[in-house]
Amino acid sequence: MPGMLDENFSGSLVYLLEHSDKGAMGLVVNRPTDIVLSTLFEKIELKLEIAPLLDQPVYFGGPVQVERGFVLHPTDLAEKYSSSLIIADGLTMTTSKDVLEAVANGSGPEKFLMTLGYAGWGAGQLEEEISLNGWINIAIPNNQMQTIIFDTPYTDRYQKAMQVLGFDLASLSGEAGHA
């Protein structure tokens, strides 16, 4: 919600990867860090020489396991990485180094978003936060979501996702109403 006070999530767009009775997992997709890919690749001893990627930001994916990398990319069934979660709507989240090796040598996903950390909720926690007016859950068609994540400047992603609702965010209140 626009009134979210938690610094980790205020103004954040979270792409929900998984949601079950055991909990939920997502990646914040609009909060770049001060780290760029060339710096990250240096730290993990990979040589990245592809000019357009050198200054691409690494994003804050959420407050859980911020020392660990997560790569969100379109699903390519021909490409197999060691540790990937294929998401139902055409995206894959990969955590293994082989995806970064593929990026470095030019054979990796054409579009991707690299994050450090993820957003996680225990069983029932996200549902409770939604009931307390902490989150807006929006179903966005796959092609539109991929456009927002991969083709929209990070500064506009939150607004683009909210436009799906069809009203002005300024009209939302941070207070929940109960009848």
Side-chain angles (χ1 to χ4, degrees):
M1 286 289 287
M4 172 67 76
L5 299 177
D6 184 333
E7 284 182 13
N8 290 310
F9 298 111
S10 179
S12 292
L13 176 61
V14 178
Y15 178 71
L16 204 56
L17 304 165
E18 195 170 48
H19 186 217
S20 71
D21 57 353
K22 296 177 185 172
M25 177 186 187
L27 295 174
V28 176
V29 297
N30 67 330
R31 303 253 322 263
T33 65
D34 293 335
I35 302 168
V36 294
L37 285 179
S38 59
T39 304
L40 178 72
F41 276 56
E42 236 176 70
K43 287 185 183 216
I44 59 172
E45 299 177 2
L46 283 177
K47 190 167 184 106
L48 179 65
E49 296 178 333
I50 302 169
L53 298 179
L54 296 173
D55 294 325
Q56 184 172 310
V58 174
Y59 287 78
F60 168 75
V64 182
Q65 292 187 352
V66 293
E67 71 288 347
R68 192 163 176 210
F70 299 84
V71 180
L72 184 64
H73 56 92
T75 302
D76 179 353
L77 298 177
E79 188 64 54
K80 301 288 184 206
Y81 300 110
S82 299
S83 181
S84 293
L85 170 67
I86 295 177
I87 303 158
D89 60 0
L91 292 175
T92 297
M93 189 265 305
T94 300
T95 58
S96 51
K97 188 177 178 181
D98 55 353
V99 71
L100 299 179
E101 291 166 344
V103 166
N105 72 32
S107 66
E110 187 177 315
K111 295 181 179 188
F112 67 93
L113 183 113
M114 173 78 204
T115 75
L116 292 176
Y118 70 92
W121 296 267
Q125 183 182 0
L126 182 58
E127 294 82 357
E128 175 70 14
E129 291 179 14
I130 290 171
S131 76
L132 295 173
N133 209 31
W135 295 98
I136 296 175
N137 185 15
I138 306 169
I140 298 178
N142 174 36
N143 63 336
Q144 193 174 4
M145 193 66 219
Q146 286 194 35
T147 298
I148 291 170
I149 293 171
F150 301 121
D151 301 327
T152 304
Y154 76 89
T155 54
D156 299 334
R157 290 177 190 162
Y158 179 83
Q159 184 66 29
K160 283 279 190 197
M162 293 303 156
Q163 285 174 350
V164 172
L165 294 172
F167 59 85
D168 183 6
L169 286 177
S171 64
L172 290 179
S173 170
E175 300 298 318
H178 300 282

